[in-house]
Amino acid sequence: MTRPTRRAVLAAPALLLAPAAGAQPAEAWPTRPVSVLVPFVAGGPSDIVARAAANRMAQTLGQPVVAENRPGANGEVAARVVMRAAPDGHTLMIGSIGVWAINAALRPNLGYDPLRDFTPLVLAATTPNVLVVNDKHPARDTAGLVAWLRERGGRASYSTSGVGSSDQMTTELFKLRTGTEITHVPYTGGAAAATDLIAGNVDLSFQNLGTVAGHIAGGRLRALMVTSERPHPVLPGVPTSKESGLEDFVVTSWQAFMAPAGMATPLRDRLAGALRDALLHPETRPRLEAIGFDVVPTTPDDYHRFQRAEIERWRDVVRRASITAG
């Protein structure tokens, strides 16, 4: 073997510090269209927030930003695609509280790890759940509903958008807090859950504000409580959970953006900044707030801490309520 030249030896540290093949500086992103995978069908909360952000980002970044619906297995289909993608900022995913927190608490054999397999970007938007009954129900407030449930002795039912949804978890937490028994009736989405509640086929539901706001305004559903910390401007006069006598019952359904694991910090921060700018734009934020979203884009680190706390919170509820995914 020949001895290395002095020039080669001096060049070695520079080679070690050079970016890997195919890497690009954060300032160069994006160099091609960006895909934002949505793990549900079009028209739901994740889809609405994703498209609002994507449309604004496309206008400012100079590259197409396209929301792609990849439904299946309560988010697992899309998550598997994204976790295998290159962490170069061109494949992102939006997910709900179910995808990024409840699945991990509920499904021990989940095909992805929402903490290990992704790079956190931003918590984008939250929306409270609303305790609703139909317009013919005798309960006029939460205390009246709890009294009615206790009189029924377990002969009552609640509708949700599916097993593992935020509305199911909220109701199970409500049962633990109030000592009531209510039978779960899962549906394939919030719209179907609200429709059967209006028809009187179930007795109550905790639904996302955006799902039931129109039915409340139209008098088809009666709102008894909103699970936000403060009264919500879309539902003036509806008491919060604390005002209804339930402490530590602030529950929000939320949407957050993630990228594949292994993303370089400068690129992560540039991408998170682009998402925050898009969500807070004066043409984007008011449109989302008008339909019940609270637009609260965070830093990646703040979202990561929030996500960990949410997983632990719902893991505790799953354990105490003996909830199963089947």
Side-chain angles (χ1 to χ4, degrees):
M1 180 181 294
T2 60
R3 295 176 62 187
T5 66
R6 174 177 171 81
R7 179 176 295 177
V9 170
L10 292 175
L15 290 173
L16 290 174
L17 294 174
Q24 61 180 25
E27 294 78 9
W29 174 86
T31 59
R32 61 179 189 274
V34 176
S35 295
V36 182
L37 267 65
V38 181
F40 305 109
V41 297
S46 295
D47 187 69
I48 291 169
V49 175
R51 292 180 187 280
N55 289 341
R56 176 50 50 186
M57 288 173 70
Q59 295 180 44
T60 58
L61 294 176
Q63 288 282 357
V65 182
V66 182
E68 301 180 20
N69 298 94
R70 296 283 187 94
N74 200 27
E76 189 170 338
V77 170
R80 284 177 175 270
V81 172
V82 175
M83 65 186 277
R84 296 188 181 110
D88 59 7
H90 294 95
T91 304
L92 317 178
M93 178 175 165
I94 191 170
S96 64
I97 179 177
V99 174
W100 298 136
I102 293 173
N103 277 358
L106 185 63
R107 298 170 59 190
N109 298 317
L110 188 63
Y112 65 94
D113 186 319
L115 295 173
R116 183 193 63 213
D117 295 332
F118 301 90
T119 297
L121 296 174
V122 298
L123 172 66
T126 67
T127 185
N129 287 329
V130 186
L131 174 57
V132 284
V133 295
N134 72 23
D135 60 337
K136 299 179 180 61
H137 198 284
R140 313 300 297 187
D141 54 26
T142 301
L145 178 64
V146 170
W148 181 85
L149 289 169
R150 289 173 177 164
E151 290 174 1
R152 299 283 294 175
R155 292 177 291 109
S157 59
Y158 73 94
S159 63
T160 72
S161 56
V163 174
S165 60
S166 70
D167 30 326
Q168 181 194 9
M169 295 295 127
T170 305
T171 314
E172 293 297 329
L173 183 60
F174 177 78
K175 289 165 59 178
L176 291 170
R177 290 280 192 274
T178 59
T180 53
E181 289 295 328
I182 322 168
T183 300
H184 181 207
V185 182
Y187 290 80
T188 57
T195 297
D196 251 21
L197 178 60
I198 293 169
N201 295 325
V202 290
D203 298 303
L204 63 102
S205 190
F206 276 93
Q207 281 298 312
N208 293 176
L209 173 56
T211 301
V212 294
H215 296 308
I216 295 168
R220 294 177 292 276
L221 293 176
R222 181 183 307 135
L224 305 183
M225 176 179 76
V226 62
T227 64
S228 53
E229 188 172 1
R230 293 177 294 276
H232 201 281
V234 174
L235 295 176
V238 176
T240 65
S241 49
K242 185 174 183 179
E243 291 171 337
S244 300
L246 293 176
E247 296 289 339
D248 190 26
F249 200 80
V250 175
V251 182
T252 57
S253 179
W254 46 268
Q255 308 295 326
F257 287 90
M258 301 275 257
M263 179 173 287
T265 300
L267 178 57
R268 179 203 71 171
D269 292 346
R270 174 160 163 72
L271 184 49
L275 283 164
R276 286 196 299 273
D277 290 346
L279 291 162
L280 293 174
H281 191 277
E283 291 184 6
T284 306
R285 185 175 191 172
R287 290 206 308 267
L288 291 173
E289 290 179 339
I291 55 177
F293 289 104
D294 295 313
V295 180
V296 291
T298 63
T299 66
D301 290 340
D302 284 344
Y303 166 58
H304 194 54
R305 285 189 288 269
F306 171 83
Q307 183 192 16
R308 283 185 177 276
E310 284 285 272
I311 290 173
E312 290 307 312
R313 181 187 195 187
W314 297 115
R315 184 171 283 139
D316 181 63
V317 172
V318 167
R319 177 184 57 80
R320 292 169 60 198
S322 300
I323 304 170
T324 62

